[in-house]
DNA sequence: TGTACATCAGTGAACGCGCGTTCACTGATGTAC
DNA sequence: TGTACATCAGTGAACGCGCGTTCACTGATGTAC
């Protein structure tokens, strides 16, 4: 009977959910290095080998966590963007930046897993790519909307290097339709700048340097908005 | 005899050097997590407990590596700066940025140890602070020199947040004498932007995104120079 | 210069730990007739 | 509706590994008289 098959499958799905849930809290406590199948099994009240019914290896479990993490960042970005008036491009940009920062502060080890030093020996499979780019779509849409509305007026600067045109074309197709090379290049700068700020705050470089980190972050992101040409 | 005491001490110093050397290459191969006292001892042809004559614990060895790393970045920055004409502030800025990037590319795991996700369970002792700020002095001197020469002309922007004044004062004392708050704030932005770029490149975020990374990096750093108000 | 003693370097065995993964197995749950 | 069979979940023991750290010890190197 297909109803009973789905019953078993529901239990299975629920257990997979529970395993990743426990793995996530362990990740939050100890970081990626401290994630262990045996510890997860212990907390599940299972024998360690039972986990292998659900995940083929430790790396598979890590991959699941990574995908969940990227999706969580993507969700946070989307929600933050959706809460703003469509034409308030600068407000949308700022809201999404804050959402990324706040997610990172709330999930430091997950953030480190996604954007920090690579986990030694771990090679990300293809399935992570889609989720990994979700939040980028949000940023792309904001800048793209502003550009389409003629609201993008970047301050003068050097032209993007010639060797960048191919990359720019690929990025236009993926996230920034119709934006000129210079805008794409600036978007990349802003992108790495945002994550540079968040990483520095999270990884301790701002300790004893910046006190009111939220305010400095906002200031930085506003400055980046100007740099991108978003309206004041 | 004091000559013979120094003989013993010379051997001791040489062994400490050799241990950190081997530890450094292991760090380069496997990352911080893969650094093991036993492996170092094996490669030294010693028994593992012998290492404890030279380092009280694994963390102590890590600390030594971290200090060496910060000093290496500091040296690279200093050398790059010293090779430029004093009044070419933009050239000096660019040279130091490149030096940081090139050091990072040449020593990815060491870079990750210094600027990537914190090593779980490791708490940096006070002795790392001095070396950690050496390269910052170099950046500070460039911006400070430009400012003192009246060559700093930053484009308009929002004022730094009020809550930043205390931090700015502290930073003025440490690395940026006599610079106004806005300049200090911009220096911080540029600082995290630089390391954001380098980290993204190193940690794989630019994979399949940017092809000619050196060119894009140069472009970004030049843009940051303008943002700081360094002359074109 | 020679001897008695103190310091230091390195050994080897051991403690106690945790890990990922495999494998043959027992029961329970579902499927087909 | 009832029975024979196949699938799946979970067990428990084991393999083989490496790790940091401690400790009592042997020799060698240096020191003081």
């Amino acid at each position: 009977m297909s109803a009973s098959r789905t019953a078993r499958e529901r239990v299975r799905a629920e257990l997979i959910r529970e395993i990743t849930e426990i793995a996530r809290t362990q990740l939050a406590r100890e970081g990626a290095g401290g994630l262990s199948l045996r510890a997860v099994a212990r907390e599940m009240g299972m024998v360690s080998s039972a986990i292998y019914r659900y995940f083929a290896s430790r790396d598979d479990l890590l991959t699941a966590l990574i995908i969940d993490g990227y999706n969580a960042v993507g969700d946070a970005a989307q929600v933050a963007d959706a809460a703003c008036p469509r034409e308030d491009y600068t407000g949308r940009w700022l809201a999404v930046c804050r959402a990324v920062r706040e997610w990172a502060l709330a999930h430091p080890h997950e953030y480190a897993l996604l954007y920090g030093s690579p986990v030694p020996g771990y090679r990300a499979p293809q399935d992570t790519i889609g989720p990994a780019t979700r939040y980028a779509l949000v940023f792309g849409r904001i800048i793209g909307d502003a550009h389409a509305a003629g609201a993008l007026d970047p301050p003068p600067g050097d032209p993007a290097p010639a060797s960048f045109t191919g990359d720019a074309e690929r990025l236009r197709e993926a996230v920034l339709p119709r934006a000129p090379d210079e805008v794409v290049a600036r978007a990349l700068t802003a992108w790495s700048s945002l994550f540079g700020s968040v990483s520095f705050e999270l990884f301790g470089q701002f300790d004893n340097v910046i006190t009111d980190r939220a305010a400095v972050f906002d200031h930085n992101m506003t400055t980046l908005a100007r740099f991108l040409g978003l309206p004041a």
Side-chain angles (χ1 to χ4, degrees), chain A:
Chain A
M1 219 202 301
S2 86
S4 49
R5 180 197 289 157
T6 52
R8 181 129 90 177
E9 273 172 2
R10 267 204 308 270
V11 173
R12 188 179 170 77
E14 168 57 22
L15 274 177
I16 289 180
R17 208 199 51 74
E18 203 173 326
I19 290 173
T20 53
E21 190 62 34
I22 290 178
R24 204 186 335 275
T25 69
Q26 285 195 2
L27 177 67
R29 264 203 304 274
E30 329 243 3
L35 175 65
S36 111
L37 288 188
R38 295 189 99 111
V40 171
R42 235 175 282 134
E43 199 158 329
M44 295 274 300
M46 276 173 154
V47 102
S48 68
S49 51
I51 300 288
Y52 287 81
R53 290 274 162 210
Y54 303 94
F55 290 94
S57 71
R58 182 178 178 277
D59 273 13
D60 271 39
L61 181 53
L62 252 190
T63 298
L65 291 177
I66 289 174
I67 291 177
D68 284 3
Y70 280 128
N71 276 321
V73 179
D75 284 348
Q78 242 165 21
V79 167
D81 181 34
C84 299
R86 293 298 80 192
E87 304 76 26
D88 181 8
Y89 309 109
T90 306
R92 287 167 67 190
W93 158 262
L94 207 59
V96 174
C97 289
R98 284 182 183 146
V100 169
R101 172 172 177 265
E102 271 149 31
W103 186 87
L105 289 177
H107 309 86
H109 282 113
E110 266 183 279
Y111 177 87
L113 181 60
L114 305 180
Y115 302 105
S117 337
V119 178
Y122 175 79
R123 183 100 195 94
Q126 291 291 333
D127 348 7
T128 58
I129 296 181
T133 53
R134 277 191 48 198
Y135 77 91
L137 291 174
V138 178
F139 282 115
R141 201 167 311 123
I142 298 172
I143 299 173
D145 285 359
H147 180 253
L152 213 57
D153 179 27
D158 294 1
S163 58
F164 182 62
T165 50
D167 300 331
E169 186 52 36
R170 216 176 320 113
L171 285 163
R172 265 190 290 273
E173 276 165 30
V175 294
L176 267 172
R178 280 179 301 280
D181 282 17
E182 267 69 31
V183 169
V184 178
R186 281 179 186 239
L188 277 184
T189 305
W191 176 49
S192 60
S193 223
L194 158 61
F195 281 85
S197 284
V198 173
S199 294
F200 260 22
E201 176 168 357
L202 229 63
F203 299 164
Q205 305 289 337
F206 286 162
D207 293 1
N208 308 314
V209 176
I210 297 180
T211 312
D212 187 351
R213 292 174 196 168
V216 171
F217 179 81
D218 274 11
H219 179 252
N220 279 357
M221 294 308 116
T222 306
T223 302
L224 283 180
R226 304 279 168 278
F227 165 73
L228 284 168
L230 291 169

